[in-house]
Amino acid sequence: MPGGPRAAETGRLLPPRVPRSPSRPFPVPPGRAKSSAMNGERGGSRSAFPGLPGEVVLEEAAGVRLRCREGDGSVPGTLVCTNLRVAFLAAPGHGVQPPGSVAPLQSEHNVALPCIRKLVAGSSFTKAKVLTAASTLKFIPEELLIFCRDFRLLRFHFHENGLAPQAYRLANAIAKARETATWPWDSGDSSSWAETKPEEEEEDEEEEEEEEGDDEEGSAPTLLFESLPDWEKELKRQGAAGWRVSAINERFDMAPSLPRYLWVPSGLLDHDLKRTFAHFEERRVPRLCWHHPGGSDLLRSAGFHAASEPGSEDVRCLEALLRAGHGPCVLADTAELPTLADIQLAHLKLWALCLHGAAPEEKWLSALEATRWLDHVRACLRKAVEVASLLAGRRCCVLLQEPSDRDLNCLLASLVQLLADPHARTLPGFQSLVQREWVAAGHPFPRRLGLRRGNPREEAPVFPLFLDCTWQLVRQFPAAFGFTEAFLLALHDGAFQPYCGTFLFTCQRQRGRGGPQQPRGQTYTPVNGCWDPPAGSRLPPVWDWALRYSPQQRARFRNPAGGGGTLSPQNTGDPETTATPPDSWPGGGAGEVLALAKGSLCPQPLPWRSGRPPPRLLRWAPSLESLSERGGGSGGSPIPEPPRGLLLPCAAGPSVRLWRRCYLRGLPESQHGRFAPSPAGLAEELTLLQDRLSAWQAQGPRTRAAGSPLAPSR
């Protein structure tokens, strides 16, 4: 029977909206009724635990105090360990949540079990101990420290009065749960996530329906790229004439890790396209990523197969695919970017520095540079600028090549589009960009982020590195983006939370196998701020921000003064700004294959072409510093001035900074959280915004239209 002794021993599922008694809010195993009965006495009554579908409470402790920033004391509440997460529920009147935050996953003090990197139990009578499933805790912990992969540090203090047994059981429960975490939706047991939204949230959203509908950012759809119409719609938006959507991989039989649909040249039939798959690693053939209005195309693929020996017909199909019928083909590999091992090592060093304070204050900046994380950010920005400048300056076909085409190609293709396409800098455009270049392209999120147990050598935070690069762009060009730092930080944290289906799978094929095969809705459009899952959908996308953030918090994701616009073709009629016609190449022909390395171009024969001509450097794509140092004249360089809409960030020295709000929030003196709840921080931010607004209003409408709204003239 569901209510029998065996059910009580194993705990029971917590369906949403089940009212519970304040004196006994959770199911408690036999022999623990005494400790649970004290819930109402410690910390007072509190709201019922917002359980998720398939969630089981393993252990709880009332009267726990969450340590906040230095000087701000602590917050009393209840600490809960379930099979999915560790959650802290503040006592009434001591909420750490912003007002109006009633979403089921709203707390900054909830942490998913896979997101816990280290668990430490502390006591004043013995040294701290790192807890694992195999370790034995030989003392009663007075404090529990949870070090998270997303750079959060949660500190919970247990009072001595009657909490000793609870503290001991809770610490051991968390240590074992994080080692054996399983997800109910992995076995097909998933409920409708629409039921997890509280009634209060639905009522509040109904009141804001008109405001959401009038906001372009809030009502624009986010394309999920799991259906043919999504791919056709985006291809039409880019105006990529000469390209079509191919369903050759609809059953994933040609390339299991590629999406169902590919953008390929219109003149290349699927019958001929099949000849090309075997000549690339993991059968990941070149396909279109983005089309520049000036005629250039950005492609991506895996490396050429080492044992490839194409015949004459295969060569014809391969070259038709690479050159796309116009201009030379430029091969841009990722050899100049950091390796996955370098990224992981730098990230671990940065994590240790920011959360453990592994360096004295006077040597902290030197220790930061020694992590090489900022060097990796600079390298990615430099390479993206080279490729974006090449696409904007000449009509060509640039092919991004990486051995696997599933990591650094995702980062580089996304950064190039952020630099060159204003639509990608809007909030819905950015979300669609992540869906296309990361999710649909097959980036292995679970392995790279360590969400599921596997080989630790496969971990490499490539996606957080991309978000860091994006934050650098937002900081340098705030008026060019339709989203804010708060949005990027929410997306950063969402990547480590296994509550949404966006980052739980390695490719579309695995995502389809993980759930029912019925057709699913392919476009996410906020309706009253809530995602209504269609039949056959198992988990909501990460873009359903209403599950975790209040309407007030979601409003801070959007930058009303930035983003938007379209990219127009380069004006080639001005001889002063165009040194060379867009279709001409100094010393090169339309059918030539070139390689881009360190800002230089040289002939690069394809693997199946015999003979190797002598290298002939063509200085075309400059380094990032030379681009930023250029004045009004071209100085004899064949590179035209940057066209309108192209962002050229500076990556030299102090121009690339540490993302403090993300990486330093674990330090007690720097814990400002995702939305800067510190009164001093809010006062400083409000003063800065008021000064900028006053200066902007003083400029007049004509001056504002010509200049940046966030950079007043002096």
Side-chain angles (χ1 to χ4, degrees):
M1 296 178 59
R6 184 168 297 277
E9 291 176 2
T10 59
R12 62 185 178 87
L13 300 181
L14 292 182
R17 301 182 185 174
V18 176
R20 300 189 180 277
S21 169
S23 62
R24 186 165 178 159
F26 302 112
V28 181
R32 301 183 185 178
K34 182 178 180 180
S35 63
S36 179
M38 293 186 289
N39 290 347
E41 301 173 6
R42 311 288 175 197
S45 61
R46 48 144 178 81
S47 303
F49 178 62
L52 302 174
E55 190 166 23
V56 180
V57 172
L58 304 177
E59 194 59 67
E60 64 161 318
V64 179
R65 303 192 72 88
L66 169 68
R67 293 189 179 274
C68 300
R69 300 179 304 275
E70 287 186 353
D72 290 355
S74 58
V75 176
T78 301
L79 187 61
V80 183
C81 173
T82 75
N83 61 323
L84 302 180
R85 54 177 168 161
V86 176
F88 177 78
L89 304 177
H94 300 82
V96 292
Q97 317 288 344
S101 179
V102 293
L105 301 177
Q106 80 281 15
S107 178
E108 288 190 40
H109 308 289
N110 289 356
V111 52
L113 294 177
C115 189
I116 300 177
R117 173 163 279 166
K118 187 166 69 171
L119 183 66
V120 178
S123 174
S124 58
F125 300 100
T126 182
K127 65 178 182 179
K129 180 177 180 60
V130 179
L131 299 181
T132 64
S135 62
T136 302
L137 187 59
K138 298 182 179 180
F139 60 89
I140 302 298
E142 299 177 3
E143 189 175 30
L144 195 63
L145 285 75
I146 300 179
F147 294 85
C148 306
R149 294 176 181 269
D150 57 8
F151 286 82
R152 288 183 296 161
L153 173 57
L154 306 181
R155 305 166 62 99
F156 300 101
H157 180 72
F158 302 96
H159 284 288
E160 298 180 1
N161 301 330
L163 282 183
Q166 297 183 37
Y168 183 85
R169 290 195 299 264
L170 183 63
N172 283 296
I174 297 176
K176 294 179 180 179
R178 62 184 288 255
E179 298 284 345
T180 60
T182 58
W183 311 109
W185 42 82
D186 288 343
S187 58
D189 179 19
S190 60
S191 305
S192 174
W193 277 65
E195 297 179 359
T196 63
K197 182 170 289 298
E199 295 178 359
E200 303 92 312
E201 174 79 359
E202 295 176 357
E203 295 175 359
D204 294 341
E205 298 292 352
E206 290 178 0
E207 297 177 359
E208 299 188 358
E209 179 178 2
E210 295 183 1
E211 296 182 10
E212 294 279 347
D214 294 338
D215 194 335
E216 179 183 358
E217 297 287 344
S219 59
T222 295
L223 304 179
L224 300 184
F225 293 97
E226 294 182 353
S227 68
L228 183 62
D230 283 1
W231 292 91
E232 292 177 339
K233 181 177 181 180
E234 176 63 17
L235 189 65
K236 181 179 179 181
R237 184 198 69 81
Q238 296 183 12
W243 294 86
R244 65 180 179 88
V245 181
S246 172
I248 191 173
N249 197 45
E250 193 168 19
R251 297 182 178 180
F252 304 107
D253 53 348
M254 299 305 299
S257 62
L258 283 181
R260 287 185 174 90
Y261 307 100
L262 309 174
W263 287 335
V264 299
S266 301
L268 189 62
L269 303 178
D270 284 352
H271 174 74
D272 295 331
L273 183 61
K274 290 182 179 180
R275 295 177 173 270
T276 63
F277 283 89
H279 303 293
F280 294 90
E281 297 290 342
E282 298 188 33
R283 302 177 64 86
R284 296 178 65 90
V285 295
R287 69 268 183 207
L288 179 69
C289 291
W290 179 67
H291 175 78
H292 191 279
S296 297
D297 295 312
L298 179 66
L299 282 69
R300 60 180 291 182
S301 76
F304 296 114
H305 200 286
S308 173
E309 295 182 0
S312 58
E313 280 299 311
D314 292 356
V315 169
R316 178 185 64 82
C317 298
L318 284 167
E319 295 187 354
L321 181 61
L322 291 174
R323 295 193 174 98
H326 64 266
C329 175
V330 179
L331 306 180
D333 59 29
T334 58
E336 300 172 20
L337 300 182
T339 64
L340 297 182
D342 293 337
I343 296 175
Q344 173 68 357
L345 179 60
H347 194 260
L348 290 177
K349 290 181 177 180
L350 181 67
W351 186 86
L353 177 65
C354 294
L355 268 73
H356 292 278
E361 183 176 357
E362 62 273 11
K363 297 182 179 180
W364 200 90
L365 293 178
S366 299
L368 175 61
E369 286 297 327
T371 65
R372 302 210 60 191
W373 179 258
L374 297 183
D375 289 338
H376 298 338
V377 173
R378 295 185 185 101
C380 295
L381 291 176
R382 288 191 186 99
K383 190 68 175 182
V385 167
E386 290 180 357
V387 175
S389 302
L390 187 60
L391 290 169
R394 286 290 190 274
R395 186 180 183 186
C396 62
C397 176
V398 178
L399 174 63
L400 304 179
Q401 272 199 310
E402 182 191 13
S404 67
D405 183 41
R406 304 181 68 176
D407 294 294
L408 296 176
N409 263 7
C410 300
L411 182 149
L412 192 54
S414 302
L415 282 182
V416 169
Q417 294 177 62
L418 283 177
L419 294 177
D421 188 1
H423 175 74
R425 302 194 285 267
T426 65
L427 191 143
F430 184 82
Q431 294 182 162
S432 298
L433 177 69
V434 173
Q435 279 288 149
R436 187 177 73 252
E437 300 298 344
W438 292 85
V439 181
H443 178 66
F445 286 101
R447 298 203 302 266
R448 296 295 181 254
L449 298 177
L451 297 180
R452 297 189 180 183
R453 298 204 167 273
N455 187 357
R457 296 182 179 179
E458 293 184 346
E459 292 187 26
V462 183
F463 186 67
L465 177 61
F466 162 68
L467 294 180
D468 195 324
C469 294
T470 304
W471 177 80
Q472 305 290 340
L473 298 177
V474 172
R475 189 188 63 81
Q476 294 191 29
F477 305 97
F481 288 84
F483 50 86
T484 63
E485 179 187 20
F487 168 77
L488 291 176
L489 190 54
L491 183 57
H492 175 276
D493 293 351
F496 292 93
Q497 305 297 328
Y499 309 133
C500 301
T502 304
F503 305 116
L504 277 182
F505 306 97
T506 60
C507 59
Q508 283 189 354
R509 179 172 179 263
Q510 187 188 72
R511 182 173 289 102
R513 286 187 170 185
Q517 297 298 322
Q518 294 94 335
R520 292 172 289 179
Q522 310 304 337
T523 302
Y524 167 62
T525 304
V527 179
N528 299 338
C530 175
W531 180 69
D532 186 15
S537 182
R538 309 185 61 205
L539 289 172
V542 71
W543 320 120
D544 186 6
W545 301 113
L547 281 174
R548 290 179 290 150
Y549 301 101
S550 67
Q552 294 83 356
Q553 292 173 328
R554 298 198 302 272
R556 298 186 63 179
F557 289 172
R558 298 185 293 271
N559 177 18
T566 57
L567 184 62
S568 58
Q570 179 182 353
N571 180 16
T572 59
D574 188 356
E576 296 182 0
T577 61
T578 305
T580 310
D583 285 333
S584 65
W585 283 75
E592 192 171 4
V593 178
L594 306 171
L596 173 64
K598 296 183 179 180
S600 300
L601 293 173
C602 62
Q604 175 67 41
L606 297 173
W608 49 83
R609 293 291 184 182
S610 60
R612 181 179 297 272
R616 190 159 37 89
L617 294 179
L618 303 176
R619 189 66 184 176
W620 165 251
S623 63
L624 193 58
E625 285 72 18
S626 63
L627 271 174
S628 61
E629 293 172 359
R630 283 169 53 98
S634 60
S637 173
I639 307 172
E641 291 298 318
R644 186 176 183 180
L646 178 64
L647 302 181
L648 295 180
C650 181
S655 297
V656 173
R657 300 182 183 179
L658 180 70
W659 191 0
R660 298 178 60 88
R661 186 166 290 184
C662 179
Y663 302 137
L664 296 183
R665 52 183 165 167
L667 298 178
E669 64 274 13
S670 303
Q671 286 186 353
H672 297 305
R674 187 178 297 113
F675 296 96
S678 169
L682 289 176
E684 180 183 357
E685 184 176 353
L686 181 60
T687 302
L688 178 62
L689 291 176
Q690 288 176 341
D691 293 342
R692 290 182 175 179
L693 181 61
S694 300
W696 181 41
Q697 292 174 342
Q699 292 178 357
R702 294 185 178 181
T703 307
R704 290 200 303 266
S708 169
L710 297 180
S713 59
R714 297 180 180 178

